[in-house]
Amino acid sequence: MTRWWQVTDQRAEQILARLTELRADDAPTRGGRILSYVYDPGLAVVDELARRAAQQVQHVNGLDPTTFGSVARMEADVIGFAAGIVHGDDAVGVVTSGGTESCLLAVKSARDRWRARHREATGMPSIVAPTTVHAAFHKAARYFDLRLDLVPVGEDGTVGADDLLARCSGDTALVVVSAPCYPFGVIDPVADVAPRAAALGIACHVDACIGGWVLPFWGEGLPRWDFRVPGVTSMSLDAHKYGYSPKGVSVLLFADRDAKRAASFATTDWPGYPVVNPTMLGSRSATALAAAWAILEYLGADGLTGLTARTRQATETLAGVVAGIEGLRVAGAPSGPLFAVRTDPEAAAGRGVDPHQWSDRVRELGWTLQPQPGLRQHGGPALPPTTHLTVTPVTAGIVDALAAAMTRAADDVRGRPPIDLSALPDALPALRSDAPLDSAAATEILAALGLAGDGPALPDHLAPVMALLEVVPAPRAQELLTELLARLNER
């Protein structure tokens, strides 16, 4: 008789077949068909190496490097590699589960050090950052009880150093700049901000989660953005992006050891083992770490240089394709492997291309781009609706087919006016109400909008969702999106 714990080959195959069924609707993670979220080097050997490395440490617990010494040794190698490529010769760091955790810990460190210097302060410390700063810093401000002071950017995504520094005061614990920012691919003025922040006694974090492993190999023409700039106190770099490692591995670097210590958590105030956590997690898998370690050992700086060259070639080709499509244009002047596409404001009447309907049509043709809603900034210009592209090395091999799809999609939707939902808040007053929504009320609104059927599902087209986000007050939109996503794994 087969025991419940004795998994037969036949049963294992049945389970794996079921997993294949569950993944039937997933966007393909290899081959370059999705231009966000995944980072494909186009090297099968890297995937196999990651799989074998992760398997070796499948049961290792990163909670305690005194028991599993391999964790600290692999972390030291990954941190050292990261510090080397961003000129952090004396930098120290931690390996985290992803960019969000790295950003959270950078904020915690800055907050705790600010509190140590301002023991008599009663107010709430602040983070000063451009509007384009990653949403992880919104999360950090809410989690750690800081005020996020957002500085408007131009329509091209750029922000002035003077504008950022003008917001700084004695309550400012941290200034954040990006290399590059995700929405527009623009490198913020790190070289102008960090030294002046240091003169004010304010920490400066460079969010290089997406750029940290690719900008060092990009070539000429980039402004300085790394530890060569005096005053940069911390930096985040995600190895699971252009380090081509599995999710989730990020590196958080600090210019000095005390800042790293301030990011940690430790307690002996319970009767169990002493707890010292350098990250937000306690028990943590070593599988992604081992995979990242192995991949970086395999690729090295030479491998990353070659992959970056392919990425840059594909990025410049696609930007040129957009420039040649009537009704579209690249937003601003991005640096690196990501850019946003907007309607050409100089297009002739009836010849513009709405970026969200364009994105939906490109998806129908087999490619996944990422729509981004427009944003009304406080005290600054309105930011246009855009569609985001993240380019990877594998894109170079399929760039002609992608370019053809982008061009055809634009031809198919050119002249269609943007979806206008401005009358919805009046037709559905609950969208304007300040009263908090419970799940039932949120579901009722989603159903009225045609976004909640009998079971969990997402809409086939995202352009209407983007249009909705532009007319609904942000707090209400956040509640509705939370409900929409929460329903996906509820039966």
mmCIF file of all heavy atoms in Angstrom, residues 172-214:
data_model
loop_
_atom_site.group_PDB
_atom_site.id
_atom_site.type_symbol
_atom_site.label_atom_id
_atom_site.label_comp_id
_atom_site.label_asym_id
_atom_site.label_seq_id
_atom_site.Cartn_x
_atom_site.Cartn_y
_atom_site.Cartn_z
ATOM 1 N N THR A 172 13.789 66.454 7.753
ATOM 2 C CA THR A 172 14.029 65.528 6.652
ATOM 3 C C THR A 172 15.040 64.456 7.052
ATOM 4 O O THR A 172 16.189 64.772 7.374
ATOM 5 C CB THR A 172 14.530 66.274 5.406
ATOM 6 O OG1 THR A 172 13.604 67.315 5.070
ATOM 7 C CG2 THR A 172 14.670 65.329 4.230
ATOM 8 N N ALA A 173 14.612 63.223 7.023
ATOM 9 C CA ALA A 173 15.499 62.112 7.366
ATOM 10 C C ALA A 173 16.205 61.550 6.151
ATOM 11 O O ALA A 173 17.289 60.969 6.267
ATOM 12 C CB ALA A 173 14.704 60.996 8.045
ATOM 13 N N LEU A 174 15.603 61.710 4.952
ATOM 14 C CA LEU A 174 16.157 61.053 3.769
ATOM 15 C C LEU A 174 15.702 61.774 2.502
ATOM 16 O O LEU A 174 14.532 62.163 2.385
ATOM 17 C CB LEU A 174 15.668 59.597 3.717
ATOM 18 C CG LEU A 174 16.198 58.706 2.591
ATOM 19 C CD1 LEU A 174 17.704 58.475 2.747
ATOM 20 C CD2 LEU A 174 15.460 57.369 2.570
ATOM 21 N N VAL A 175 16.611 61.934 1.572
ATOM 22 C CA VAL A 175 16.303 62.357 0.212
ATOM 23 C C VAL A 175 16.516 61.152 -0.690
ATOM 24 O O VAL A 175 17.528 60.447 -0.570
ATOM 25 C CB VAL A 175 17.200 63.520 -0.249
ATOM 26 C CG1 VAL A 175 16.922 63.873 -1.710
ATOM 27 C CG2 VAL A 175 17.000 64.739 0.623
ATOM 28 N N VAL A 176 15.568 60.894 -1.584
ATOM 29 C CA VAL A 176 15.665 59.747 -2.489
ATOM 30 C C VAL A 176 15.730 60.235 -3.927
ATOM 31 O O VAL A 176 14.914 61.061 -4.346
ATOM 32 C CB VAL A 176 14.473 58.784 -2.327
ATOM 33 C CG1 VAL A 176 14.641 57.578 -3.255
ATOM 34 C CG2 VAL A 176 14.344 58.324 -0.885
ATOM 35 N N VAL A 177 16.698 59.725 -4.667
ATOM 36 C CA VAL A 177 16.797 59.971 -6.103
ATOM 37 C C VAL A 177 16.953 58.616 -6.797
ATOM 38 O O VAL A 177 17.385 57.640 -6.182
ATOM 39 C CB VAL A 177 17.983 60.901 -6.443
ATOM 40 C CG1 VAL A 177 17.626 62.348 -6.204
ATOM 41 C CG2 VAL A 177 19.228 60.528 -5.627
ATOM 42 N N SER A 178 16.589 58.550 -8.061
ATOM 43 C CA SER A 178 16.537 57.271 -8.768
ATOM 44 C C SER A 178 17.515 57.235 -9.934
ATOM 45 O O SER A 178 17.771 58.244 -10.582
ATOM 46 C CB SER A 178 15.121 57.025 -9.302
ATOM 47 O OG SER A 178 14.172 57.035 -8.258
ATOM 48 N N ALA A 179 18.016 56.023 -10.212
ATOM 49 C CA ALA A 179 18.937 55.828 -11.324
ATOM 50 C C ALA A 179 18.610 54.523 -12.049
ATOM 51 O O ALA A 179 19.217 53.500 -11.771
ATOM 52 C CB ALA A 179 20.379 55.821 -10.821
ATOM 53 N N PRO A 180 17.688 54.556 -13.000
ATOM 54 C CA PRO A 180 16.796 55.667 -13.317
ATOM 55 C C PRO A 180 15.456 55.478 -12.618
ATOM 56 O O PRO A 180 15.225 54.443 -11.998
ATOM 57 C CB PRO A 180 16.639 55.519 -14.828
ATOM 58 C CG PRO A 180 16.644 54.028 -15.039
ATOM 59 C CD PRO A 180 17.604 53.482 -14.006
ATOM 60 N N CYS A 181 14.563 56.457 -12.759
ATOM 61 C CA CYS A 181 13.200 56.273 -12.270
ATOM 62 C C CYS A 181 12.475 55.299 -13.187
ATOM 63 O O CYS A 181 12.749 55.234 -14.392
ATOM 64 C CB CYS A 181 12.455 57.605 -12.184
ATOM 65 S SG CYS A 181 11.950 58.302 -13.779
ATOM 66 N N TYR A 182 11.563 54.532 -12.624
ATOM 67 C CA TYR A 182 10.879 53.511 -13.416
ATOM 68 C C TYR A 182 9.911 54.092 -14.452
ATOM 69 O O TYR A 182 9.908 53.650 -15.604
ATOM 70 C CB TYR A 182 10.126 52.554 -12.489
ATOM 71 C CG TYR A 182 9.529 51.371 -13.211
ATOM 72 C CD1 TYR A 182 10.285 50.225 -13.446
ATOM 73 C CD2 TYR A 182 8.224 51.397 -13.679
ATOM 74 C CE1 TYR A 182 9.758 49.138 -14.126
ATOM 75 C CE2 TYR A 182 7.680 50.319 -14.360
ATOM 76 C CZ TYR A 182 8.452 49.193 -14.584
ATOM 77 O OH TYR A 182 7.915 48.124 -15.265
ATOM 78 N N PRO A 183 9.076 55.082 -14.104
ATOM 79 C CA PRO A 183 8.052 55.500 -15.071
ATOM 80 C C PRO A 183 8.599 56.056 -16.375
ATOM 81 O O PRO A 183 8.027 55.814 -17.434
ATOM 82 C CB PRO A 183 7.266 56.569 -14.298
ATOM 83 C CG PRO A 183 7.505 56.263 -12.863
ATOM 84 C CD PRO A 183 8.906 55.752 -12.803
ATOM 85 N N PHE A 184 9.724 56.818 -16.329
ATOM 86 C CA PHE A 184 10.225 57.495 -17.521
ATOM 87 C C PHE A 184 11.641 57.082 -17.921
ATOM 88 O O PHE A 184 12.124 57.483 -18.974
ATOM 89 C CB PHE A 184 10.203 59.017 -17.320
ATOM 90 C CG PHE A 184 8.815 59.593 -17.248
ATOM 91 C CD1 PHE A 184 8.188 59.779 -16.031
ATOM 92 C CD2 PHE A 184 8.127 59.949 -18.396
ATOM 93 C CE1 PHE A 184 6.905 60.304 -15.942
ATOM 94 C CE2 PHE A 184 6.849 60.484 -18.333
ATOM 95 C CZ PHE A 184 6.231 60.655 -17.107
ATOM 96 N N GLY A 185 12.329 56.321 -17.067
ATOM 97 C CA GLY A 185 13.691 55.910 -17.392
ATOM 98 C C GLY A 185 14.712 57.020 -17.285
ATOM 99 O O GLY A 185 15.802 56.939 -17.863
ATOM 100 N N VAL A 186 14.409 58.072 -16.527
ATOM 101 C CA VAL A 186 15.280 59.233 -16.389
ATOM 102 C C VAL A 186 16.135 59.082 -15.136
ATOM 103 O O VAL A 186 15.635 58.674 -14.072
ATOM 104 C CB VAL A 186 14.442 60.528 -16.294
ATOM 105 C CG1 VAL A 186 15.321 61.730 -15.984
ATOM 106 C CG2 VAL A 186 13.671 60.745 -17.592
ATOM 107 N N ILE A 187 17.430 59.396 -15.237
ATOM 108 C CA ILE A 187 18.312 59.418 -14.068
ATOM 109 C C ILE A 187 18.154 60.764 -13.371
ATOM 110 O O ILE A 187 18.370 61.823 -13.976
ATOM 111 C CB ILE A 187 19.777 59.188 -14.468
ATOM 112 C CG1 ILE A 187 19.946 57.793 -15.096
ATOM 113 C CG2 ILE A 187 20.697 59.336 -13.257
ATOM 114 C CD1 ILE A 187 21.349 57.508 -15.608
ATOM 115 N N ASP A 188 17.782 60.737 -12.110
ATOM 116 C CA ASP A 188 17.635 61.972 -11.336
ATOM 117 C C ASP A 188 18.998 62.633 -11.110
ATOM 118 O O ASP A 188 20.050 61.982 -11.223
ATOM 119 C CB ASP A 188 16.968 61.661 -9.986
ATOM 120 C CG ASP A 188 15.505 61.288 -10.128
ATOM 121 O OD1 ASP A 188 14.878 61.705 -11.123
ATOM 122 O OD2 ASP A 188 14.977 60.567 -9.252
ATOM 123 N N PRO A 189 19.031 63.924 -10.729
ATOM 124 C CA PRO A 189 20.298 64.654 -10.592
ATOM 125 C C PRO A 189 21.058 64.299 -9.310
ATOM 126 O O PRO A 189 21.224 65.122 -8.405
ATOM 127 C CB PRO A 189 19.845 66.123 -10.596
ATOM 128 C CG PRO A 189 18.460 66.095 -10.036
ATOM 129 C CD PRO A 189 17.853 64.814 -10.545
ATOM 130 N N VAL A 190 21.531 63.065 -9.257
ATOM 131 C CA VAL A 190 22.224 62.563 -8.069
ATOM 132 C C VAL A 190 23.423 63.438 -7.730
ATOM 133 O O VAL A 190 23.640 63.806 -6.562
ATOM 134 C CB VAL A 190 22.671 61.103 -8.289
ATOM 135 C CG1 VAL A 190 23.407 60.584 -7.059
ATOM 136 C CG2 VAL A 190 21.477 60.219 -8.625
ATOM 137 N N ALA A 191 24.226 63.776 -8.742
ATOM 138 C CA ALA A 191 25.462 64.513 -8.492
ATOM 139 C C ALA A 191 25.219 65.904 -7.921
ATOM 140 O O ALA A 191 26.090 66.462 -7.246
ATOM 141 C CB ALA A 191 26.274 64.616 -9.784
ATOM 142 N N ASP A 192 24.045 66.477 -8.186
ATOM 143 C CA ASP A 192 23.723 67.805 -7.662
ATOM 144 C C ASP A 192 23.011 67.741 -6.319
ATOM 145 O O ASP A 192 23.041 68.710 -5.552
ATOM 146 C CB ASP A 192 22.833 68.560 -8.657
ATOM 147 C CG ASP A 192 23.572 68.926 -9.930
ATOM 148 O OD1 ASP A 192 24.794 69.142 -9.864
ATOM 149 O OD2 ASP A 192 22.928 68.980 -10.989
ATOM 150 N N VAL A 193 22.370 66.607 -6.026
ATOM 151 C CA VAL A 193 21.567 66.502 -4.809
ATOM 152 C C VAL A 193 22.371 65.964 -3.630
ATOM 153 O O VAL A 193 22.340 66.528 -2.523
ATOM 154 C CB VAL A 193 20.334 65.605 -5.059
ATOM 155 C CG1 VAL A 193 19.605 65.297 -3.748
ATOM 156 C CG2 VAL A 193 19.382 66.285 -6.037
ATOM 157 N N ALA A 194 23.085 64.865 -3.831
ATOM 158 C CA ALA A 194 23.714 64.166 -2.708
ATOM 159 C C ALA A 194 24.713 65.034 -1.932
ATOM 160 O O ALA A 194 24.667 65.061 -0.691
ATOM 161 C CB ALA A 194 24.380 62.883 -3.196
ATOM 162 N N PRO A 195 25.648 65.754 -2.589
ATOM 163 C CA PRO A 195 26.595 66.565 -1.802
ATOM 164 C C PRO A 195 25.907 67.663 -0.998
ATOM 165 O O PRO A 195 26.304 67.945 0.146
ATOM 166 C CB PRO A 195 27.526 67.160 -2.870
ATOM 167 C CG PRO A 195 27.372 66.276 -4.063
ATOM 168 C CD PRO A 195 25.943 65.814 -4.029
ATOM 169 N N ARG A 196 24.872 68.261 -1.567
ATOM 170 C CA ARG A 196 24.168 69.335 -0.861
ATOM 171 C C ARG A 196 23.320 68.770 0.272
ATOM 172 O O ARG A 196 23.182 69.413 1.327
ATOM 173 C CB ARG A 196 23.323 70.130 -1.843
ATOM 174 C CG ARG A 196 24.171 70.884 -2.874
ATOM 175 C CD ARG A 196 23.360 71.366 -4.061
ATOM 176 N NE ARG A 196 22.334 72.328 -3.675
ATOM 177 C CZ ARG A 196 21.435 72.819 -4.520
ATOM 178 N NH1 ARG A 196 21.425 72.405 -5.793
ATOM 179 N NH2 ARG A 196 20.541 73.688 -4.113
ATOM 180 N N ALA A 197 22.779 67.579 0.091
ATOM 181 C CA ALA A 197 22.058 66.941 1.187
ATOM 182 C C ALA A 197 23.020 66.625 2.330
ATOM 183 O O ALA A 197 22.690 66.821 3.509
ATOM 184 C CB ALA A 197 21.381 65.665 0.691
ATOM 185 N N ALA A 198 24.211 66.144 1.991
ATOM 186 C CA ALA A 198 25.207 65.835 3.018
ATOM 187 C C ALA A 198 25.586 67.082 3.815
ATOM 188 O O ALA A 198 25.769 67.023 5.038
ATOM 189 C CB ALA A 198 26.444 65.221 2.376
ATOM 190 N N ALA A 199 25.692 68.223 3.124
ATOM 191 C CA ALA A 199 26.023 69.469 3.820
ATOM 192 C C ALA A 199 24.937 69.863 4.813
ATOM 193 O O ALA A 199 25.213 70.551 5.813
ATOM 194 C CB ALA A 199 26.240 70.585 2.798
ATOM 195 N N LEU A 200 23.721 69.410 4.558
ATOM 196 C CA LEU A 200 22.605 69.676 5.467
ATOM 197 C C LEU A 200 22.445 68.583 6.524
ATOM 198 O O LEU A 200 21.535 68.647 7.352
ATOM 199 C CB LEU A 200 21.296 69.799 4.670
ATOM 200 C CG LEU A 200 21.211 70.951 3.664
ATOM 201 C CD1 LEU A 200 19.946 70.822 2.811
ATOM 202 C CD2 LEU A 200 21.222 72.295 4.393
ATOM 203 N N GLY A 201 23.304 67.568 6.461
ATOM 204 C CA GLY A 201 23.211 66.466 7.417
ATOM 205 C C GLY A 201 22.088 65.502 7.103
ATOM 206 O O GLY A 201 21.568 64.832 8.006
ATOM 207 N N ILE A 202 21.710 65.384 5.821
ATOM 208 C CA ILE A 202 20.582 64.543 5.418
ATOM 209 C C ILE A 202 21.099 63.375 4.583
ATOM 210 O O ILE A 202 21.904 63.560 3.660
ATOM 211 C CB ILE A 202 19.556 65.355 4.608
ATOM 212 C CG1 ILE A 202 18.983 66.487 5.476
ATOM 213 C CG2 ILE A 202 18.441 64.469 4.076
ATOM 214 C CD1 ILE A 202 18.133 67.479 4.701
ATOM 215 N N ALA A 203 20.642 62.181 4.890
ATOM 216 C CA ALA A 203 21.023 60.996 4.133
ATOM 217 C C ALA A 203 20.439 61.059 2.726
ATOM 218 O O ALA A 203 19.371 61.631 2.502
ATOM 219 C CB ALA A 203 20.537 59.742 4.851
ATOM 220 N N CYS A 204 21.143 60.436 1.769
ATOM 221 C CA CYS A 204 20.690 60.408 0.383
ATOM 222 C C CYS A 204 20.750 58.972 -0.129
ATOM 223 O O CYS A 204 21.828 58.368 -0.194
ATOM 224 C CB CYS A 204 21.546 61.318 -0.486
ATOM 225 S SG CYS A 204 21.058 61.318 -2.243
ATOM 226 N N HIS A 205 19.591 58.450 -0.493
ATOM 227 C CA HIS A 205 19.514 57.094 -1.043
ATOM 228 C C HIS A 205 19.342 57.156 -2.549
ATOM 229 O O HIS A 205 18.506 57.909 -3.051
ATOM 230 C CB HIS A 205 18.335 56.329 -0.442
ATOM 231 C CG HIS A 205 18.184 54.940 -0.991
ATOM 232 N ND1 HIS A 205 18.967 53.892 -0.565
ATOM 233 C CD2 HIS A 205 17.363 54.430 -1.946
ATOM 234 C CE1 HIS A 205 18.635 52.791 -1.223
ATOM 235 N NE2 HIS A 205 17.669 53.101 -2.076
ATOM 236 N N VAL A 206 20.118 56.353 -3.260
ATOM 237 C CA VAL A 206 19.959 56.215 -4.706
ATOM 238 C C VAL A 206 19.234 54.900 -4.968
ATOM 239 O O VAL A 206 19.768 53.817 -4.695
ATOM 240 C CB VAL A 206 21.317 56.230 -5.438
ATOM 241 C CG1 VAL A 206 21.116 55.978 -6.927
ATOM 242 C CG2 VAL A 206 22.028 57.554 -5.207
ATOM 243 N N ASP A 207 18.021 55.019 -5.481
ATOM 244 C CA ASP A 207 17.264 53.824 -5.841
ATOM 245 C C ASP A 207 17.708 53.393 -7.237
ATOM 246 O O ASP A 207 17.216 53.889 -8.252
ATOM 247 C CB ASP A 207 15.763 54.116 -5.810
ATOM 248 C CG ASP A 207 14.933 52.930 -6.281
ATOM 249 O OD1 ASP A 207 15.489 51.811 -6.345
ATOM 250 O OD2 ASP A 207 13.745 53.110 -6.587
ATOM 251 N N ALA A 208 18.661 52.472 -7.265
ATOM 252 C CA ALA A 208 19.150 51.905 -8.518
ATOM 253 C C ALA A 208 18.688 50.460 -8.630
ATOM 254 O O ALA A 208 19.389 49.626 -9.197
ATOM 255 C CB ALA A 208 20.671 51.990 -8.590
ATOM 256 N N CYS A 209 17.494 50.183 -8.101
ATOM 257 C CA CYS A 209 16.979 48.816 -8.147
ATOM 258 C C CYS A 209 16.969 48.288 -9.577
ATOM 259 O O CYS A 209 17.382 47.160 -9.840
ATOM 260 C CB CYS A 209 15.574 48.759 -7.548
ATOM 261 S SG CYS A 209 15.555 48.805 -5.742
ATOM 262 N N ILE A 210 16.517 49.116 -10.516
ATOM 263 C CA ILE A 210 16.430 48.638 -11.894
ATOM 264 C C ILE A 210 17.685 48.950 -12.692
ATOM 265 O O ILE A 210 17.998 48.260 -13.660
ATOM 266 C CB ILE A 210 15.176 49.186 -12.594
ATOM 267 C CG1 ILE A 210 14.829 48.342 -13.825
ATOM 268 C CG2 ILE A 210 15.334 50.662 -12.955
ATOM 269 C CD1 ILE A 210 13.437 48.553 -14.349
ATOM 270 N N GLY A 211 18.431 49.951 -12.288
ATOM 271 C CA GLY A 211 19.596 50.345 -13.072
ATOM 272 C C GLY A 211 20.931 49.876 -12.547
ATOM 273 O O GLY A 211 21.937 49.925 -13.272
ATOM 274 N N GLY A 212 20.964 49.406 -11.318
ATOM 275 C CA GLY A 212 22.238 49.160 -10.656
ATOM 276 C C GLY A 212 23.120 48.121 -11.306
ATOM 277 O O GLY A 212 24.352 48.189 -11.211
ATOM 278 N N TRP A 213 22.506 47.124 -11.965
ATOM 279 C CA TRP A 213 23.303 46.066 -12.577
ATOM 280 C C TRP A 213 23.475 46.259 -14.082
ATOM 281 O O TRP A 213 24.097 45.414 -14.741
ATOM 282 C CB TRP A 213 22.666 44.702 -12.309
ATOM 283 C CG TRP A 213 22.713 44.301 -10.870
ATOM 284 C CD1 TRP A 213 21.754 44.523 -9.925
ATOM 285 C CD2 TRP A 213 23.780 43.626 -10.196
ATOM 286 N NE1 TRP A 213 22.151 44.022 -8.704
ATOM 287 C CE2 TRP A 213 23.396 43.467 -8.843
ATOM 288 C CE3 TRP A 213 25.019 43.134 -10.607
ATOM 289 C CZ2 TRP A 213 24.204 42.844 -7.898
ATOM 290 C CZ3 TRP A 213 25.825 42.508 -9.655
ATOM 291 C CH2 TRP A 213 25.426 42.368 -8.328
ATOM 292 N N VAL A 214 22.938 47.338 -14.642
ATOM 293 C CA VAL A 214 23.066 47.557 -16.079
ATOM 294 C C VAL A 214 23.728 48.889 -16.416
ATOM 295 O O VAL A 214 24.534 48.963 -17.352
ATOM 296 C CB VAL A 214 21.681 47.433 -16.770
ATOM 297 C CG1 VAL A 214 20.722 48.530 -16.320
ATOM 298 C CG2 VAL A 214 21.806 47.403 -18.279
#
